[in-house]
Amino acid sequence: MFGDSSISLTHEEQQEAAERIHALMAEGISSGEAIQIVAEQIRQSKSADKSQ
């Protein structure tokens, strides 16, 4: 349902993700969509980190 749930984030990364979600919501994006957007960004970032 949520894809790869094996991704772990540091506390700092969690805080940054929460701030990005709040910023998107402030722009009028729904909370669910904001979470999806940020989660996908994190997955792509972590995937790129693993491939290097």
Side-chain angles (χ1 to χ4, degrees):
M1 181 169 135
F2 292 110
D4 185 5
S5 62
S6 65
I7 295 174
S8 61
L9 301 175
T10 65
H11 178 72
E12 183 177 342
E13 290 170 326
Q14 292 174 20
Q15 289 296 112
E16 290 171 5
E19 290 171 8
R20 292 198 320 250
I21 291 166
H22 287 286
L24 289 170
M25 290 170 58
E27 294 175 13
I29 295 174
S30 72
S31 59
E33 188 175 356
I35 291 167
Q36 283 183 317
I37 290 167
V38 173
E40 184 57 32
Q41 291 172 345
I42 291 168
R43 284 187 202 100
Q44 289 176 359
S45 173
K46 293 290 184 176
S47 176
D49 290 348
K50 286 183 181 179
S51 66
Q52 291 182 0

